[in-house]
Amino acid sequence: MNGYAGNKDDLLKRLSRAEGQVRGIARMVENDKYCIDILTQVSAATSALETVALSLLADHLSHCVAEATAEGGAVAAEKIREANEAIARMVRS
């Protein structure tokens, strides 16, 4: 079972809202809206996706990494490496 199983419905709702925001941004560009207004909406959509990412990361750490750490050895090292790489990707973006 995935660590986010308990939050799946919430994640899907958040992703659906972000999808709607992105479609709205595309309509704004199509309709030649003011750049700053578009940038404001891009920032909101980015924030919505970051919220999803942080939730998934928290679930991964508390479920997958915690289980692997209890098991120890190479499995634990691999899960920690994966988590570190995911965090690095999030920080760079």
Side-chain angles (χ1 to χ4, degrees), residues 14-28 38 40-49:
R14 288 178 181 277
L15 287 167
S16 181
R17 281 195 296 269
E19 180 182 18
Q21 286 176 305
V22 171
R23 280 195 306 266
I25 292 166
R27 281 192 302 275
M28 291 176 80
I38 296 170
T40 298
Q41 292 307 310
V42 168
S43 178
T46 300
S47 179
L49 289 174

Side-chain angles (χ1 to χ4, degrees), residues 45-68:
T46 300
S47 179
L49 289 174
E50 286 173 350
T51 299
V52 170
L54 289 171
S55 176
L56 286 167
L57 180 60
D59 290 340
H60 180 68
L61 291 172
S62 64
H63 181 263
C64 301
V65 175
E67 283 184 3

